[in-house]
Amino acid sequence: MTNEDILKLGELAKIEIKPEEIESFKKDFESILGYIKQIESVDVGDVSPSYLTENIAREDVSKNTPGEFSSDLLSSAPNTENGFIKVKKIL
Amino acid sequence: MIDLKKLTIKKAQDGLRNKEFTSLELTNAYIEEIKKTNENINAYLEIFEDAIDQAKKADEIISKGESKTLTGVPLAIKDNLLFKDHKAGASSKILEGYFSTYDAKVIETLKEEGAVIIGRTNMDEFAMGSSTETSAYGITKNPKAPHTVAGGSSGGSAATVAGDMALFSLGSDTGGSIRQPAGFCGIVGLKPTYGTISRSGLMAMGSSLDIIGPFTKSVEDAEIVFNTLAKEDAKDSTCVLEKDRICEKKEVKKIGVPRSFLKGEGINKETLENFEKSLDKLRGLGYEIVDIDIPLMEYSLAVYYVLMPAEVSTNLSRFDGIRYGLSISGKDVAESYKKTKEAGFGKEAKRRILLGTYVLSHGYYDAYYNKAVKLRHKITEEMKKVFNEVDLIATPTTPSPAFAPGAKASPLEMYLSDIFTVPANITGVPAISIPAGNSSEGLPLDIQFMAPHFGEKLLFEVGKKFEVK
């Protein structure tokens, strides 16, 4: 892994990486990926990726009254205006 | 005086119903103990202001004769469980000051039961760690040996029970986060079958691995809590319908030991010797102990360290400073995200998010993530096959007894402490950690039993016979 790889991961994950952190992340990832690499050598044959779990879907109907949770949820938001969550301009 | 040391849920129920003590008295006894012990141990992050009111309400229910299984029983919850209008923060700075807006399903059930939720407990940040050292609020010490850690990630919950600061507690287990601290603290920890206890209201870490479970002083208590909480729930789409929770096995005769798996590096000699003693004890109890081979099991930890970070990177993306929690403003939305996450997440959380981003990124997805998913499937099949030959699998829970803070020099070294616990999460089977004596230094040692899916009963059956009363 290069310094650029670490910075790119930070960019993808939207986490700012401080220059002084790069080396230690690199060192950690090299040892962790070195360990993980052992799965490459296992022959799993022709298995299609499957998942252990099955979805249990509930009826797609709302049991709540409009606005029931709005004030609770909005009160958690750091920045609100007129009942909306306020964010910086996106475009 | 109520003897908290010897108290079990059964005894508390009897005491409450026979009016030997009230829930208020019992709750106050725990709060007294917390005042004496918590400053040093740091198990609780907060004692809820309404704990006393909850106890009074429980006493009213009891006096009306409407008592349920856990009415009036004081417990502690891990800081990643939502309890409406109470703080919850997963021991992270990014959720500093956050109040839950709804109840987790387990909290809903505990409220219906009239249980007394005393407070929330310290943990590794977002349940990522094996020692509570990644908590933003300091480490939790092991009440049985305060020079060592309580384990993690549910270290605080383990310490409340081991230090008689709660009669039982709830934790969550993604790779061993209930069983490992239970082992370190010399108490019982249960990781139920995946999908038996609703994850609704549990802050997600690895959604295909996470499960809530109890810390207790006895196997019987673990059984009581499990039976109370294991309800189906439409709010968790991976919660298994109760009618589908079938385990064909009815009793335990044969217990399998995966010998080659115990020969790995870094496994403490005394842990292994003690494990052999535990096997002798099981033989003495009439169980047949046989060697089994699960060749792919040794890859469980590597598989786990692909799948878990992948799920972490997805689940933790929600902490962006927009809807809740810490928010640091940048010049645009993207920069606000980056600054918020930089300041809010600790080193281990960042490490796992970045690692997850890596294994899911273009070019590595097939080599890491897809391969791990396939391997997980294979390991699960092997495990199921082994359960045709044996009824339970036994291993130590932890590869060594509790360590001192700072003892694990690198992240990988810390990760290796989950070597025996991770297979149950990868395959979804239930597992229990039970105390099994002490090391020569007086540190608690443990044994872990794994059962087939939905075979909790088998764990309880053997556990009750095995545990020292």
Side-chain angles (χ1 to χ4, degrees), chain B residues 25-160:
Chain B
E25 285 164 347
L26 183 58
T27 304
N28 274 326
Y30 279 111
I31 291 175
E32 277 312 304
E33 199 57 43
I34 294 165
K35 280 183 189 157
K36 273 190 270 169
T37 314
N38 195 54
E39 197 181 341
N40 179 36
I41 300 296
N42 194 33
Y44 280 98
L45 296 173
E46 182 189 3
I47 304 303
F48 295 133
E49 265 179 28
D50 63 355
I52 296 296
D53 290 340
Q54 293 178 53
K56 286 179 185 165
K57 231 165 123 186
D59 282 327
E60 281 171 32
I61 298 170
I62 296 165
S63 67
K64 278 190 226 155
E66 291 167 3
S67 200
K68 291 182 183 169
T69 313
L70 297 175
T71 310
V73 174
L75 76 138
I77 57 170
K78 191 174 179 178
D79 194 29
N80 58 356
L81 288 166
L82 303 189
F83 179 11
K84 190 170 163 50
D85 297 330
H86 294 73
K87 274 187 188 168
S91 289
S92 176
K93 287 283 179 211
I94 211 160
L95 278 174
E96 177 92 48
Y98 176 75
F99 283 83
S100 299
T101 49
Y102 65 97
D103 281 327
K105 175 68 180 179
V106 290
I107 301 295
E108 210 180 285
T109 308
L110 290 170
K111 281 182 173 177
E112 283 164 15
E113 288 282 316
V116 179
I117 306 169
I118 306 181
R120 60 192 173 100
T121 64
N122 195 29
M123 57 187 277
D124 281 293
E125 185 180 9
F126 286 105
M128 298 185 210
S130 309
S131 63
T132 68
E133 287 171 287
T134 73
S135 166
Y137 304 98
I139 68 159
T140 296
K141 291 184 195 165
N142 188 334
K144 299 272 171 75
H147 63 291
T148 66
V149 297
S153 66
S154 317
S157 285
T160 59

Side-chain angles (χ1 to χ4, degrees), chain A residues 53-58, chain B residues 194-195 197-200 207 232-241:
Chain A
T53 50
E54 215 176 291
N55 264 317
I56 52 159
R58 62 175 184 269
Chain B
Y194 181 79
I197 295 182
S198 171
R199 291 180 296 114
S200 171
S207 305
E232 64 188 40
D233 179 20
K235 283 182 181 161
D236 172 359
S237 61
T238 58
C239 200
V240 180
L241 296 174

Side-chain angles (χ1 to χ4, degrees), chain A residues 21-29, chain B residues 347 350-351:
Chain A
E21 294 175 313
I22 297 178
E23 272 312 310
S24 80
F25 276 133
K26 224 164 67 178
K27 200 173 129 236
D28 293 343
F29 291 156
Chain B
K347 190 82 194 271
K350 286 178 189 167
R351 201 179 278 129

Side-chain angles (χ1 to χ4, degrees), chain A residues 17-87:
Chain A
I17 312 267
K18 304 267 188 211
E20 64 271 22
E21 294 175 313
I22 297 178
E23 272 312 310
S24 80
F25 276 133
K26 224 164 67 178
K27 200 173 129 236
D28 293 343
F29 291 156
E30 267 158 26
S31 91
I32 298 164
L33 291 171
Y35 182 79
I36 289 172
K37 245 184 156 40
Q38 58 178 293
I39 68 170
E40 282 181 6
S41 63
V42 191
D43 180 14
V44 287
D46 193 22
V47 197
S48 61
S50 70
Y51 300 87
L52 294 163
T53 50
E54 215 176 291
N55 264 317
I56 52 159
R58 62 175 184 269
E59 288 298 308
D60 188 18
V61 285
S62 171
K63 289 180 185 159
N64 308 316
T65 47
E68 192 182 341
F69 300 105
S70 303
S71 66
D72 275 355
L73 293 172
L74 282 168
S75 71
S76 304
N79 207 352
T80 58
E81 198 178 298
N82 300 328
F84 291 95
I85 291 173
K86 198 176 165 186
V87 293

